[in-house]
Amino acid sequence: MVASEKLARSTDTHSVTNQPPALQDYNLYSNDTALVECIKKEGAGWAEEKLQAFGQLIGREETIKLGYLANENTPVLKTHDRFGHRIDEVEFHPAWHDLLSISVENRLINLPWVEPKAGAHVARAAMMYLMVQIESGHMCPVSMTFSCVPALKKQPEVFAAFESALMSNQYDQRFIPAAQKRGMLVGMSMTEKQGGSDVRANTTQARPVTAKGPGQLYELTGHKWFCSHPMSDAFVMLAQAEGGLSCFLVPQFAPSGERNQIRLQRLKSKLGNKSNASAEIELEGAQGWLINEEGRGVATIIEMVSHTRLDCALSSAGLMRQALTQALHHTQYRSAFKKRLIEHDLMRNVLCDLALESEAATVLTMRLARAYDASASDRKEDLFRRIATAVAKYWICKRAPSHVYECLEALGGNGYVEESMMPRLYREAPVNSVWEGSGNVICLDVLRALTNEPETATVLLDEIKQVAGQHKELDAQIADAETMLARKSEREARHLVEHLAVLLQAKLLVESAPQAVSDAFIDSRIKGGWGKTFGTLTSDVDTQVILQRAF
Ligand SMILES: Cc1cc2nc3c(=O)[nH]c(=O)nc-3n(C[C@H](O)[C@H](O)[C@H](O)COP(=O)(O)OP(=O)(O)OC[C@H]3O[C@@H](n4cnc5c(N)ncnc54)[C@H](O)[C@@H]3O)c2cc1C
């Protein structure tokens, strides 16, 4: 047999059938009915056109490819140049910079600060939720830059020095002093080797260069165990000053124009979040400005942390939505046992259950974003924001890994293969629960809110009770939550927070989703009898309505 005949024969065996087409060139926004409805409901209807365009842009084949490239070509630390000089730089693949350009140009780093009108937080939250579906590693510097603004505003002259770069919509990747840049990114470094959750255990020392006090320059000496995106133009850091734990803004270049004394020791080898670099750093007299009074470090940085916690919940909701989209897409095209997968009753049950969880995460995060819009002028919304941020961060971030895993399984073996995107989504899912306050720490924060600001309980219950009288089971569980809220028991804190989150989600679904969706959610998550894995909804669930809505 001649070679060409051999080749023809081997090609004959390679016919590709029963595989779905690639999910690309679609609009992530307009395909997400629950999100589109939330945008109107939560006051960002004016952003509809922008969100449509954004959803289309990031659903393009080229944009989706950037997510793959940035994660396959991970950042590389260059501590020294070829002559032996320290350079402490991290090199990223061009795709990383392209992704950051998209996010910065669309103002994911500052929309509500630049256009502080009703719905601005909701519109920005929607873009965050959408962009994370394409690539979530780069959302870390995006979120930190967005979130640092309320903390930095506590020191107006320091904020003013960086304001134009922080409010820019240009991504400027040049490694030069921030004052010379068209736009900047900011990181945050609190965690040290001996303590992350317990930041009061920080040992990094801060001494005034000349005078002490708010806005003055200090030198920081010590280490940080985690410093994500170490190529940021400045970092919000905590360090011990004479007056106690304090907050500083430490620029990459010292005020003299020289590189600041920040040494990158090594990059973490991480489970996920591969496109992003997370470094261990040493501070050898790095200069930074004191933000707010000495000793007010936690109170100052908490303004930033509140916003990054919102973003954790949004990111997890986005990951869940993308995983669900992939599962729905695959099961529509793939057949087994003479029927499309989505036509099999048991698969429909799984997909519906996953869709309910995803929609519940979407409505809760968008409602929460509205509280950020309204909190400056409305005390009740501010109290709601205080407690609901922790409740949503805890619950949605906890739900994401198991949700994404179940979506992955809907793709069968393909879901276990990198090209499907599912392994990346799966690896990404746990981090939102770990950073910015791990699970227990967040539950303790809920108890702290209930103790220090008892009205938070009333506001949260009032919100849930807006749908009282419509569902027997819901009413019974609200009464139960009231009892638990009064107990404020540390041992049952997870149970309480879970309870509050699910009630809040149920309330929002009753308000805005078709009855088939809210009934199925309440019957499974509140009434009881729901199994321990996804796919255990009762047989009276209207799968047609739920699935059509999801895709
Ligand atoms: C990929 C990645 C990037 C990161 N980037 C940054 C960064 O840029 N900047 C930064 O500052 N940090 C960063 N971190 C660190 C992260 O914020 C911390 O890991 C996190 O806050 C937990 O701190 P820890 O690791 O010291 O754990 P620990 O504080 O030791 O906590 C371990 C466990 O104990 C639990 N726990 C703690 N206290 C209590 C308590 N009182 N009661 C019950 N349980 C408790 C926690 O919930 C957690 O489950 C990053 C982490 C990761 C994984």
Side-chain angles (χ1 to χ4, degrees), residues 6 14-15 67 114 134 151 159 235 237 297 322 364 398 509:
K6 267 192 194 156
H14 190 81
S15 53
V114 174
I134 299 304
F159 176 68
F235 304 91
M237 288 191 189
Q322 178 60 208
L364 178 52
K398 278 271 172 263
L509 291 175

Side-chain angles (χ1 to χ4, degrees), residues 229-423:
H229 198 240
M231 295 299 280
S232 295
D233 298 290
F235 304 91
V236 180
M237 288 191 189
L238 291 181
Q240 301 287 356
E242 203 180 29
L245 192 64
S246 309
C247 181
F248 297 87
L249 182 69
V250 180
Q252 190 72 257
F253 288 80
S256 64
E258 300 284 302
R259 277 294 295 281
N260 217 342
Q261 298 299 313
I262 304 170
R263 303 277 169 258
L264 307 189
Q265 299 298 96
R266 58 174 174 160
L267 297 187
K268 304 282 192 190
S269 172
K270 299 175 288 184
L271 166 69
N273 209 251
K274 297 276 185 191
S275 61
N276 184 24
S278 300
E280 293 166 19
I281 63 173
E282 303 276 327
L283 307 163
E284 299 172 358
Q287 295 189 339
W289 298 275
L290 176 64
I291 306 297
N292 209 351
E293 303 282 342
E294 282 190 10
R296 301 280 300 151
V298 173
T300 307
I301 212 164
I302 207 72
E303 294 283 332
M304 178 172 184
V305 171
S306 163
H307 289 80
T308 54
R309 286 180 179 169
L310 164 68
D311 282 357
C312 288
L314 283 166
S315 294
S316 288
L319 289 173
M320 287 159 76
R321 173 66 200 170
Q322 178 60 208
L324 174 71
T325 306
Q326 296 286 347
L328 290 168
H329 176 76
H330 183 89
T331 53
Q332 282 206 31
Y333 286 97
R334 176 84 166 175
S335 295
F337 304 97
K338 298 194 168 39
K339 273 202 285 193
R340 289 185 303 142
L341 287 172
I342 203 165
E343 289 164 349
H344 290 270
D345 253 355
L346 186 50
M347 180 59 93
R348 290 178 82 74
N349 195 328
V350 174
L351 293 170
C352 281
D353 214 351
L354 292 167
L356 294 178
E357 197 66 35
S358 170
E359 180 162 349
T362 305
V363 294
L364 178 52
T365 48
M366 293 302 141
R367 166 64 185 96
L368 180 59
R370 172 157 66 86
Y372 279 73
D373 275 318
S375 61
S377 56
D378 184 331
R379 169 87 178 132
K380 276 192 178 168
E381 283 296 296
D382 193 35
L383 289 164
F384 179 80
R385 176 186 80 108
R386 168 69 186 93
I387 192 157
T389 302
V391 169
K393 196 295 192 178
Y394 174 77
W395 184 237
I396 295 172
C397 298
K398 278 271 172 263
R399 296 300 281 159
S402 56
H403 182 274
V404 174
Y405 149 69
E406 197 63 62
C407 293
L408 179 157
E409 192 173 297
L411 274 74
N414 283 5
Y416 205 74
V417 173
E418 288 292 338
E419 287 163 322
S420 74
M421 192 197 282
M422 301 308 287

Side-chain angles (χ1 to χ4, degrees), residues 188-191 196-197 226 228 270 278 434-435 438 440-441 444:
M188 166 168 63
S189 216
M190 298 191 280
T191 309
S197 312
F226 278 93
S228 286
K270 299 175 288 184
S278 300
V434 173
W435 60 19
S438 310
N440 288 351
V441 171
L444 294 174

Side-chain angles (χ1 to χ4, degrees), residues 49-360:
E49 209 177 306
K50 181 174 175 57
L51 292 171
Q52 286 286 355
F54 187 69
Q56 192 67 38
L57 167 74
I58 65 172
R60 283 162 51 178
E61 182 185 355
E62 309 88 273
T63 319
I64 294 171
K65 198 170 172 197
L66 294 175
Y68 283 92
L69 287 172
N71 284 275
E72 284 158 10
N73 302 279
T74 53
V76 178
L77 172 62
K78 299 275 161 91
T79 50
H80 297 81
D81 69 10
R82 64 192 175 116
F83 306 106
H85 307 113
R86 275 206 83 119
I87 53 171
D88 297 285
E89 290 184 19
V90 180
E91 272 181 14
F92 291 90
H93 188 270
W96 168 263
H97 299 295
D98 291 346
L99 288 160
L100 275 171
S101 294
I102 294 174
S103 291
V104 171
E105 281 163 18
N106 284 281
R107 295 202 175 280
L108 274 72
I109 58 164
N110 56 25
L111 181 67
W113 316 136
V114 174
E115 285 184 56
K117 59 180 177 184
H121 274 283
V122 176
R124 184 251 168 204
M127 288 193 284
M128 184 87 189
Y129 162 100
L130 292 170
M131 191 65 189
V132 82
Q133 299 184 42
I134 299 304
E135 208 289 309
S136 53
H138 83 287
M139 302 316 277
C140 168
V142 166
S143 173
M144 291 192 292
T145 306
F146 162 69
S147 306
C148 77
V149 170
L152 295 187
K153 279 188 171 172
K154 302 246 172 213
Q155 203 54 53
E157 74 282 17
V158 175
F159 176 68
F162 295 99
E163 186 170 3
S164 70
L166 284 168
M167 298 304 140
S168 163
N169 65 346
Q170 292 184 54
Y171 173 58
D172 186 343
Q173 69 180 78
R174 290 175 301 160
F175 199 49
I176 55 174
Q180 299 167 26
K181 292 184 69 167
R182 294 187 291 270
M184 69 184 285
L185 295 175
V186 176
M188 166 168 63
S189 216
M190 298 191 280
T191 309
E192 298 188 358
K193 295 185 195 73
Q194 73 286 349
S197 312
D198 187 5
V199 288
R200 290 184 195 278
N202 273 191
T203 58
T204 296
Q205 297 293 312
R207 296 287 166 257
V209 173
T210 49
K212 64 182 232 176
Q216 296 294 338
L217 203 59
Y218 285 63
E219 278 183 358
L220 276 66
T221 303
H223 71 276
K224 295 290 170 184
W225 188 229
F226 278 93
C227 177
S228 286
H229 198 240
M231 295 299 280
S232 295
D233 298 290
F235 304 91
V236 180
M237 288 191 189
L238 291 181
Q240 301 287 356
E242 203 180 29
L245 192 64
S246 309
C247 181
F248 297 87
L249 182 69
V250 180
Q252 190 72 257
F253 288 80
S256 64
E258 300 284 302
R259 277 294 295 281
N260 217 342
Q261 298 299 313
I262 304 170
R263 303 277 169 258
L264 307 189
Q265 299 298 96
R266 58 174 174 160
L267 297 187
K268 304 282 192 190
S269 172
K270 299 175 288 184
L271 166 69
N273 209 251
K274 297 276 185 191
S275 61
N276 184 24
S278 300
E280 293 166 19
I281 63 173
E282 303 276 327
L283 307 163
E284 299 172 358
Q287 295 189 339
W289 298 275
L290 176 64
I291 306 297
N292 209 351
E293 303 282 342
E294 282 190 10
R296 301 280 300 151
V298 173
T300 307
I301 212 164
I302 207 72
E303 294 283 332
M304 178 172 184
V305 171
S306 163
H307 289 80
T308 54
R309 286 180 179 169
L310 164 68
D311 282 357
C312 288
L314 283 166
S315 294
S316 288
L319 289 173
M320 287 159 76
R321 173 66 200 170
Q322 178 60 208
L324 174 71
T325 306
Q326 296 286 347
L328 290 168
H329 176 76
H330 183 89
T331 53
Q332 282 206 31
Y333 286 97
R334 176 84 166 175
S335 295
F337 304 97
K338 298 194 168 39
K339 273 202 285 193
R340 289 185 303 142
L341 287 172
I342 203 165
E343 289 164 349
H344 290 270
D345 253 355
L346 186 50
M347 180 59 93
R348 290 178 82 74
N349 195 328
V350 174
L351 293 170
C352 281
D353 214 351
L354 292 167
L356 294 178
E357 197 66 35
S358 170
E359 180 162 349

